Amino acid sequence: MAARRGTRTRGAVAAPAAALIVLAGLTSCTPEVKGVTGLTVDAHGRPHAALAWCADRPPDLVVLTSVAESASPGAPTPERPYWPRRKYDVPRDAAAPALVPLEGFPPGPVADGQAAFRVSGATHDNSFRTEGVDFRIAELAELRPGSVLVTDFDDSGEVLRTVPLDEFTEMGEKAC
């Protein structure tokens, strides 16, 4: 009978301990948001990721992914071409707001102006990230130099809006 009691005690302690370990692992995987990411274009209409942050250093890279591919994987189609995750380095001495050219984007002529992508900032050590922005190719065509497409939040949830570069910089400063 004593042996059974010891087994029950270990089981009662092991389950909560395992739960704590899993919880700690889950929470440590999500980097803290310390900035914002936007999308802008230069004078020639070439797309750039815009980054503004409140951390003591800039993000290390910009990550560009296809939202459709990650949301519903499958074979590429003309309407949903394959677009692998791309990473672009942010200069180590970058100051906010930093504009990072998205070389090679968009991926040639895109048949579907509704093709969706996401751009965000990240660090190699996962110490922080910047809030990303989801956008469609058609929205990219509407951007003008000096304006930044961002994800904002209102009473209805996430909304896309275009802001001037100085307002975008303030959004990054207030992210902490």
Side-chain angles (χ1 to χ4, degrees):
M1 185 110 142
R4 282 189 179 161
R5 205 175 341 197
T7 303
R8 284 189 196 147
T9 303
R10 279 187 291 229
V13 171
L20 285 174
I21 290 169
V22 169
L23 181 61
L26 290 175
T27 57
S28 67
C29 292
T30 306
E32 183 178 5
V33 174
K34 289 190 176 183
V36 293
T37 309
L39 186 69
T40 190
V41 294
D42 65 14
H44 302 288
R46 292 179 295 235
H48 287 65
L51 299 165
W53 59 91
C54 53
D56 59 353
R57 65 184 175 96
D60 295 314
L61 51 104
V62 169
V63 180
L64 177 65
T65 57
S66 168
V67 173
E69 192 64 32
S70 62
S72 58
T77 65
E79 296 78 32
R80 190 184 52 148
Y82 175 71
W83 179 257
R85 173 181 295 228
R86 298 267 174 104
K87 296 178 181 177
Y88 303 89
D89 290 330
V90 177
R92 291 301 339 132
D93 60 348
L99 302 181
V100 178
L102 300 176
E103 298 294 332
F105 185 80
V110 178
D112 182 8
Q114 297 304 307
F117 297 88
R118 178 175 186 76
V119 66
S120 60
T123 58
H124 293 301
D125 64 2
N126 285 332
S127 58
F128 73 94
R129 66 182 177 89
T130 60
E131 187 69 50
V133 61
D134 292 351
F135 65 95
R136 299 189 183 283
I137 293 292
E139 292 159 336
L140 176 63
E142 296 171 6
L143 285 173
R144 300 291 169 251
S147 65
V148 183
L149 183 68
V150 296
T151 300
D152 205 355
F153 302 90
D154 66 11
D155 295 338
S156 63
E158 285 187 15
V159 293
L160 284 178
R161 70 182 183 111
T162 304
V163 299
L165 192 56
D166 58 337
E167 184 177 339
F168 174 76
T169 304
E170 288 176 22
M171 290 173 71
E173 291 169 356
K174 294 176 181 176
C176 287

